[in-house]
Every structure is written in C-alpha cells, then in structure tokens.
Amino acid sequence: MSEVQPAASDSPDPTAAAPASPPRVEPRPVTTVHHGRERTDDYDWLRAKDDPAVPAYLEAENEWTAARTAHLAGLRARIVDEIKSRTLETDLSVPTRVRGHWYYGRSFEGRQYGASCRVPVADPDDWTPPRPAADARPDEPALPGEEVLLDLDALAEGHDFFSLGGSSISPDDRLLAYAVDTVGDERYTVRVLDLDTRELLDDELTGVLGGVTWGDAPDHFYYSTVDDAWRPDKVWRHRLGTAQADDELILHEPDGRFFVGVGRTRSRRYVVAVAGSKTTSEYHLLDARDPDARPVLYAARTEGVEYSLEHVVIGGVDHFLVLHNAHGPEFELGIAPAEPTGVEGWRPLLPHDPAVRLEDVDGFADHVVVQQRSEGRTRVRVLTLGTSGDEPVADDRFVDFPGELASVGVGGNPAWEQPTVRVGMTSLARPSAVYDLDLRTDELHLRKQAPVLGGYDPDDYEEHRLWAPSTDGAQVPISLVVRKGVRVDGAPVPVHLYGYGAYEASMDPYFAVSRLSLLDRGAAFAIAHIRGGGEMGRHWYDDGKLAHKQHTFDDFVAAARHLVDAGWTTPERIVAEGGSAGGLLIGAVANQAPESFGGFVAGVPFVDVLTTMLDPTLPLTVTEYDEWGNPTDDPEAYDRIAAYAPYDNVADRPYPPILAETSLNDTRVLYVEPAKWVARLRERAPHADVLLRTEMAAGHGGVSGRYRAWEERAFTLAWILDRLGLADVEPLA
C-alpha cells in the first residue's frame, strides 16, 4: 500500500481536476516509553525528507489547499494590489553614518530585494543625514556620489530563496564581508568584496551563522559556526588569504544549553565573544588592536545570572556598564572597572526596580542610552556621562512620545562619537517614524515617516488598550486597532487576534501596511500580550514558561473571551493567529477552547513539542530545556508538556477551520511538526476543516523577496477575511 494517498495527481497543472477529498497518510506506528509512560506516534516517519512519499504528501496537501481556497484567488490578487498601491516601491532608508560614509538601503519598483549603498560624508561636523532630491529618478543615484555596495537582486539571481545574513565594512572602508543563504536553512556563506576593484577575494567561508566582525585591521575578522544541531558553538578568527580550515578557534562552548556569538564594542576597543543560555551568560574580551589576541574571561558564569557589557570612558578611564539580573529579575545597570571582575565589583548606576524592566543599554563617548519598559509600555532613556567614576552620570532624561500604544526603540547608532541618538516610533495605526535626538540642543528631528500611499490618515483609526482578567486574576493587556465608524453603536465586529507568548519576546504594537486590507474591510486587529512574552517585564516571562506554561494559553483564551464580554465581537468572529512558538499557542488553545474561536492560523507552528524536546539531536532542543523543560530526564516535565502539546492532545473536538503554514527548509521548527499535526487532525477529527500549506523553497521566515512575501501574506489574509465573513466586502476608501 502506498504511504500517501494523494488528493489529486502529482502534476502541478492548474487545469487538472480539483481533488475531491483531502490527502490521507498511512500510519506507521512507533511506540516509545519514557518514565513508564507509553506513547505511540503514527506519523513521525514524515520527517524523512528524502523519502519520496514525504514531498508527495506535502504537494498533495498543497493541491488540496489550493482547491479549497480557489474561490479566494480574486481576493488574494486584490490584496496584493492594495499592498502595492500603498507602498512607495522605490525608496531608501534613512542614512546611517559610519566613519567617513553614510550607509543606506534602496528599494526599486519591480525588484524583489534592492541594494545597499553609501555616499561620502560631505561635512564631518554635520550629523544631519543627507536626503534625496524630490525629483530623483529610480534609475539614477539617490544621492550625489552614490556607490552601490551590493546589488541584492543580482546576488539572488538563479535562486528560489535568498537571504542576506549580514554585511560588514572593514576598518579601512575598502572591503565588504557579506553572508548569504540561498536555501533557507540559515547556514550562511561569507564572501569578501574589494570595493575598489569590485572583485571577490578568494576567501569563502561556509556554515557561518550570520555575518562577521572585523578586528582593528582589515586583514582579519571573527565569525561563529553551528554544530549539527544548528547551535552556534564556536567563534573563529579568519585571516584574509588563508583557508577556512586554517582558521583559529577563539571560543568553543561544549554545553548544549549555550549559544555563542561575537561582536565589537562601539568604542572599537574590544572584540567580545559571548556564551549565553536562556538563563545564564558569560563574556570574553579580546583587544581589537591585537590580531593575535586571546580571549580574557570578564566574569565567570553563575547559573541564573545574565549580564552584558558596554564599554565607556569616564574621565579618561575605561569602564564597563554591566546590565545584569544578579540583584533582581528586572535587571539593573551597574558600572565596573575594565579589568575582569565579579558581581561584587558592579556598582549600581540604575538600581533594580521591580516595576521597571531594563532591556538594553548602548554606550557612547559621552552618553548612554537605555531601553526600558513598565506597565506594558516602552521608553528610551538618555544618561549623560560625568567626568569621573565617582559621579558617572551628569544628567538623566527620557525620550517620550504621545499615545498609549506608542512603541519606542533605538537603532542605527553605530558611531562612538555621534552627538545624536536615533529613535524609532510606531503604533498599530501610525507608520514607523525615524527621529534623531540631538544631544547638543535636546531637539528631536523627524528624519522619515514611512510613506503610506493612497491618502492614508492614521486619524481614521482608533487604538485601544484593554485589560483581560485571566483565570488566576492576572490582568492581560490587549492592544487593539479598528477603523473609526466600523463599530456602529457598539455592535460586535470581526476580530483578528494575534499572540506569541514565549522567550520573553515582546509583541509591542506595530504598524503593517498589509493589515489595512483587513481593517478597511471592517475587522479589528488585536494583540494579546500574554505571559511568556516580555511586555510586562521579566516576571511576565517567568510566569509563562516551564511549570507556568499553561498561563500562556489561559491568557490567550481570556483575551478572546474578554473581547466577547466587552462587546467587541463574538466567538465565531474571532480568527486567532500565531507563528513558531505562537503556533504552539494556537495548537494548544485549539484543543483547550475551540468554542471560543471561529478559526485558527498556525504559522511554522511548534506543535509537536514533546517529540522535539525528547530528541537532543534535533536543532535547538537542548538550548530550549530552560524554556520548556527536559522531558527526557524529568518525569514532571514530561507530564507537563504532554498535557498541553498540541499534537498529543488532538481529539474528536468541534475544531473551527484551521490553516497551517510551514516551510520545507525551516531549521527552527521542522516542517514535519505541522505535517504530523494535520495528519492526526484528519484522523482523529475527521469533520474538521484543516488545510496545510508548505513553501517548498523557504525557511523559518517564509519566502524571500518582498513581492513573494506580499503574495504569501495575501494568501493568509484572504483566508482570514473569508473566515470573518468579509471576503466579499469592498474596502473603505
């Protein structure tokens, strides 16, 4: 008997007859025993990607999904057109200054990827980024003296998938090291381009995670590689003109819970090699000026203590700012000598405050920028450095923006000596804006508001912060946006509810052009800031992982029910969406509270969590023990995960329609997880309307290229609109 009974011919011919029924997979049961618990898995054989039956099954599911959604083809095309009509396709980012050049990215109408460029700095004393002429043509340089560093469309030519993992300019501004992935498995190849000759050097490094970090001279750089489980475990030093096999190992981390990484302080004084787990970190320093430097341990790891370092110079003396949680879960900022020291040498600069989560710190020549959050809101704080280590801070002020749902962050500040701080702001209704705070005058200058064409006005939309009581009394924040006038006399409206709830990742309010296709058809969009995320601080994260993971699911269901109780919507008009760990969320609540929702979208979903966490050879498993638990060694962890794992708890329930989306080359959440989940749903809940869509040339982030990404998102949005009863509604002007 064939393992896969396809719903239709394997032919991709669009004229072929539509399949009459969904594909079925023959079970191949395998029984395992852990801690005396017996578990039978019928579909784990689907992880054998090289078995011809597996891609045949995935293609059959794609055909079934295409047939079941064929009536939405016109809507998908309209959504793509709407996204396109609102997007300024030929554009450039706000230039960022590094040494003697301004660097920026360009996009071009009709091109998937764009280009990275630079122009020389005209006036060393002027930190105002250059702006293109209003009448600049797309086929001409955006700025005088423009140099195209990388034409990304040219690099992507001939590849179904393309991702730039990072690019880095050498200290003499003459060489460009860049990393590319043309498969989607996030294993990058590094090449070095001579910007004077436009010739590639012979150096070619494979199996690299992301980009590289240059030393103080343009003849060597540092990078990290991954092991067989896709864990970055080694940091290397490469000298130009030598083979990768001859590279020098700088740091090797044997503990499977730890990742390694490498970077350089903004002061350019140190190269830092970092080893970190979910709960513990350790920094090693190298003198960036010494091409033969060996790493020096700054503070030995202490289980449960996380810290990071920022180099500053106060009164001519080197110091490190240490952001750490040794004195409390919400972190404090300490100051310490440059010489290696332990926690006892970290003097409080911003002491621990249980109401304020200190998230990040950036050190500059004469100021420090801190990103923090409290009560679910983000803030940016600027400290002016003093003249001595005894009085390290001379001034302390905040950069605030109006609006309860304003999300504020810092980025694009690479220069040690810059007198400005670049700040970004967005919300559910307001497109992202880039500002420069001039520290000399305390003036905030708007450098760019992301353009939204077609007469978009954020004041046509209303934003709300709601609070939902969870099962244990915790108040769960919800951010919501809806077009004004849609909710007539308080009547219920369809709601697209999004959630994540893991890794202390904060799903702060953000703007998306594609979302307007939903809002303008009369739906509301909401984000449930559930436990497991970091929106309310580290304690919010701690209360949604390991033994407390059920809080994540309870919070999401509570958010949906609160939207109903508050009159915003009805259960059958809520479509919930989550991706990756958020896909686990969707799978869990689909089992636990299917009656509270009208549909589910699970993107690259982590739905077979128990199988994954039982196999330490799989990517990321061991590093995830601190997030989910170790079911191999701990029977309590086994039982806890088994109680909520979506795949293990599928039953004959009244599931609302489900759309699962995955990518064949995903290394973070393997395609087999949603494939098995859908197969079991078809077996145990035969009346459920379940669709599986697999991108056959993509990774964890989906397809590459902006036009393909628009088409992919349009597919999902069209399905959501159909479930919300809005597929035939014309968008408001």
Side-chain angles (χ1 to χ4, degrees), residues 59 62 113 159-162 181-185 662-666 694-705 708 712:
E59 293 287 9
N62 281 348
Y113 299 101
H159 300 290
D160 292 331
F161 179 90
F162 174 82
D181 168 19
T182 56
V183 177
D185 62 0
T662 188
S663 297
L664 185 63
N665 296 322
D666 191 343
T694 304
E695 288 291 346
M696 305 302 283
H700 192 65
V703 298
S704 65
R708 286 193 289 266
E712 184 179 65

Side-chain angles (χ1 to χ4, degrees), residues 557 561 588-597 600 653 656:
V557 174
R561 290 174 176 168
V589 299
N591 288 329
Q592 296 179 17
E595 72 286 349
S596 294
F597 301 89
F600 293 110
R653 297 185 175 91

Side-chain angles (χ1 to χ4, degrees), residues 129 337 351 378 384 423 427 466 473 512 553 579 676 684 710 714:
T378 53
T384 301
V423 180
S427 75
L466 312 174
F553 317 131
K676 291 171 57 177
R684 297 188 178 180
W710 293 352

Side-chain angles (χ1 to χ4, degrees), residues 413-450:
N413 296 291
W416 169 252
E417 66 279 3
Q418 66 185 64
T420 60
V421 175
R422 183 153 295 173
V423 180
M425 190 280 289
T426 187
S427 75
L428 291 177
R430 299 196 174 274
S432 60
V434 177
Y435 295 85
D436 279 345
L437 173 66
D438 192 323
L439 300 173
R440 298 163 297 189
T441 63
D442 217 26
E443 294 177 317
L444 196 63
H445 300 281
L446 176 64
R447 298 307 187 196
K448 182 172 185 174
Q449 180 86 53

Side-chain angles (χ1 to χ4, degrees), residues 71-92:
H71 65 292
L72 300 175
L75 177 58
R76 293 196 292 265
R78 290 194 297 276
I79 292 173
V80 171
D81 287 342
E82 289 163 15
I83 297 172
K84 184 180 174 70
S85 69
R86 296 182 180 119
T87 302
L88 183 61
E89 296 181 71
T90 299
D91 199 7
L92 79 161

Side-chain angles (χ1 to χ4, degrees), residues 541-564:
Y541 167 52
D542 289 339
D543 211 20
K545 69 172 187 174
L546 296 174
H548 308 295
K549 190 60 198 172
Q550 183 59 39
H551 288 159
T552 301
F553 317 131
D554 292 343
D555 288 358
F556 195 73
V557 174
R561 290 174 176 168
H562 180 73
L563 290 171
V564 173

Side-chain angles (χ1 to χ4, degrees), residues 112 129 187 209 223 227 249 280 321 353 374 398 426 440 500 513 515 517 519 522 598 632 665 716 721:
Q112 294 277 9
R187 289 173 170 85
L209 185 69
Y223 65 96
D227 62 13
L249 181 62
T280 308
L321 299 177
D353 181 343
S374 57
F398 287 92
T426 187
R440 298 163 297 189
Y500 188 74
V513 165
R515 190 187 301 141
S517 294
L519 297 178
T632 300
N665 296 322
T716 308
L721 285 166

